[in-house]
Amino acid sequence: MDKLLIEGGVRLSGEIAISGAKNAALPILCAALLTIEPVTFTNVPRLNDVNTLLRLLEQMGVKVSRDGDAVTLDASGVDKPMASYEMVKTMRASILVLGPLVARFGEAQVSLPGGCAIGARPVDQHIKGLQAMGAAVSVEHGYVHAKVPRLKGARIFTDMVTVTGTENLMMAACLADGETVIENAAREPEVVDLANCLAAMGAQISGAGGDVIRIRGVEKLHGATHRVMPDRIETGTYLCAAAVTGGEVRLTGTSASYLDAVIDKLMDAGCEITAERDAIRLKAPARLTAVSLRTSPYPAFPTDMQAQFMAINAVADGTAVIRETIFENRFMHAVELQRLGADIKIDGNTAFVKGVAGLQGATVMATDLRASASLIIAGLVAEGQTTIERIYHLDRGYERLEEKLSALGARVSRLR
């Protein structure tokens, strides 16, 4: 199993390009199921999660072709409106095929995603929404079975803010009869990107980016070309990596407009940040100031950046209080950071991080995608060598990570 070896103590500097957003690409790829015409998506990152979803779509009968960062999908020959457990168990986002399949074929069988290391992510809101649109939905033998002659527009109020739930119901509503109103909708930029993609395919959608989204169903969608938005979490991760090393970097192909909460915290920590049209510059102080934070749905501070900030707070001046409100088990990286010398105490969903003068390299284990990123950030500033095991998580969400870090001067290598 691959490991990552980091020789700490190097100040990051230079320029790298940010890849397309994983969390935008996955639902957008599923949107291809809504039409019989070919669709082309550009700026699609080369990630394990993307590859898994493309294999799932191929199993259903979608023709997939890839040329660099462009992916063309032709779903005209889909003959299996089913997602098997063998595919879905490796990636929870596979549930995003449910809405498009029911909308286009009137039926679907999709495996329940199963558990997740960072906490429960129930699909009951997806089911509730489809039932409101007239589908008969049951859960049997670990599969969601949905059937309906044609979905009908409905008013749907989600009991909790759910990104994938909002995306699934948006896609389903595109081919429904009448208007669907989704209230308490997720406001993430990735939801807006999906809405823009669906609109390019002929959907009638308004309100994306707010908490009420309206979709008027159409008879059919058509082919289109759409560019996937830049990855705001990858952007934030590299900003944190530069900040913790006292570095100075320019990230291209991205936008500060997606990262207000993260950038505000980095500035509070002492960083100088300049937003350009399609780039972000960061210049870090010699030592960061500790910053407290509380995770909440967008536009507040993202849970996917919590682990990275725990790492930079570990060596910052002062004490930070970090409250995690999204997932109940997302502090597993704290124990591994402690192995590097971090002073962290956990009390329920709250972490108290007291900055130390320095970290020491050690062997640590990644427990999930963003925990992996936090250990890399800590390893970059730790004295000596840090070995990170179980880095297969990283390949799910960071494209060419070693190459990009090396371009900024980091001493990092993969051990196979």
Side-chain angles (χ1 to χ4, degrees):
M1 191 174 293
D2 289 4
K3 304 176 183 180
L4 210 61
L5 177 65
I6 300 174
E7 184 74 37
V10 177
R11 177 178 179 270
L12 299 190
S13 64
E15 178 177 302
I16 57 171
I18 296 301
S19 301
K22 173 179 81 84
N23 290 338
L26 296 177
I28 284 170
L29 292 171
C30 293
L33 292 167
L34 290 165
T35 178
I36 62 172
E37 297 182 17
V39 287
T40 298
F41 306 120
T42 61
N43 202 34
V44 178
R46 289 187 175 275
L47 301 169
N48 284 352
D49 276 8
V50 170
N51 294 337
T52 297
L53 183 58
L54 291 177
R55 288 197 301 272
L56 173 61
L57 294 174
E58 283 183 313
Q59 277 192 357
M60 295 179 186
V62 177
K63 294 179 181 177
V64 178
S65 60
R66 184 153 200 169
D67 181 13
D69 71 356
V71 176
T72 298
L73 303 178
D74 181 349
S76 60
V78 171
D79 55 2
K80 297 177 182 176
M82 176 180 180
S84 69
Y85 172 70
E86 287 305 311
M87 296 299 294
V88 174
K89 71 177 181 180
T90 63
M91 187 182 64
R92 298 190 56 88
S94 302
I95 194 68
L96 286 164
V97 302
L98 177 63
L101 288 177
V102 176
R104 181 174 158 202
F105 298 98
E107 62 177 321
Q109 294 183 45
V110 178
S111 172
L112 288 170
C116 181
I118 61 172
R121 305 194 202 182
V123 299
D124 56 326
Q125 301 304 308
H126 306 235
I127 294 173
K128 172 186 170 183
L130 290 175
Q131 289 174 328
M133 298 168 74
V137 186
S138 61
V139 180
E140 301 171 11
H141 306 293
Y143 280 78
V144 178
H145 295 253
K147 195 165 187 177
V148 64
R150 186 181 179 187
L151 293 172
K152 297 185 181 299
R155 175 183 173 273
I156 302 169
F157 182 87
T158 59
D159 298 332
M160 57 182 287
V161 177
T162 162
V163 176
T164 55
T166 299
E167 292 167 340
N168 233 340
L169 297 175
M170 278 173 56
M171 289 188 282
C174 286
L175 298 179
D177 184 15
E179 184 180 69
T180 298
V181 180
I182 305 173
E183 300 186 31
N184 199 30
R187 300 166 62 186
E188 272 73 1
E190 293 81 6
V191 173
V192 177
D193 202 30
L194 173 62
N196 291 338
C197 170
L198 293 170
M201 296 169 64
Q204 297 183 13
I205 301 178
S206 62
D211 58 4
V212 178
I213 300 175
R214 298 178 182 273
I215 307 102
R216 179 161 293 281
V218 297
E219 285 295 323
K220 63 179 182 178
L221 296 182
H222 53 69
T225 297
H226 178 79
R227 180 175 177 82
V228 175
M229 66 173 282
D231 196 314
R232 61 192 174 100
I233 304 303
E234 184 193 22
T235 302
T237 299
Y238 284 114
L239 290 175
C240 285
V244 81
T245 64
E248 184 172 359
V249 298
R250 182 172 183 264
L251 308 181
T252 64
T254 188
S255 172
S257 63
Y258 307 127
L259 280 167
D260 287 344
V262 170
I263 287 175
D264 283 350
K265 291 297 180 182
L266 285 170
M267 294 176 70
D268 289 345
C271 296
E272 297 178 19
I273 296 180
T274 304
E276 302 175 12
R277 181 181 177 186
D278 295 307
I280 303 173
R281 291 181 182 271
L282 176 142
K283 183 177 181 180
R287 190 181 186 192
L288 299 170
T289 300
V291 289
S292 296
L293 59 93
R294 178 181 186 273
T295 65
S296 290
Y298 189 86
F301 192 92
T303 181
D304 279 354
M305 286 300 304
Q306 175 259 110
Q308 296 90 315
F309 268 76
M310 185 177 289
I312 68 173
N313 276 319
V315 292
D317 182 23
T319 298
V321 179
I322 298 176
R323 290 187 172 86
E324 173 60 56
T325 72
I326 307 298
F327 294 117
E328 70 273 16
N329 194 25
R330 207 167 196 181
F331 282 152
M332 291 185 289
H333 47 277
V335 176
E336 301 302 310
L337 290 172
Q338 289 169 346
R339 286 181 52 78
L340 299 174
D343 185 349
I344 303 171
K345 293 179 173 57
I346 304 296
D347 182 10
N349 71 336
T350 304
F352 301 89
V353 187
K354 183 178 181 180
V356 297
L359 301 176
Q360 299 82 43
T363 299
V364 292
M365 181 179 68
T367 53
D368 62 71
L369 173 57
R370 306 309 173 184
S372 306
S374 76
L375 297 178
I376 287 174
I377 291 168
L380 289 170
V381 75
E383 179 185 356
Q385 291 186 341
T386 297
T387 302
I388 304 174
E389 299 184 338
R390 293 178 61 180
I391 61 165
Y392 58 85
H393 296 288
L394 281 171
D395 297 327
R396 291 183 46 233
Y398 292 95
E399 183 179 37
R400 299 183 290 109
L401 181 129
E402 305 102 292
E403 180 183 325
K404 293 185 180 184
L405 283 175
S406 296
L408 297 176
R411 295 180 296 217
V412 54
S413 57
R414 183 177 292 241
L415 307 177
R416 301 186 184 277

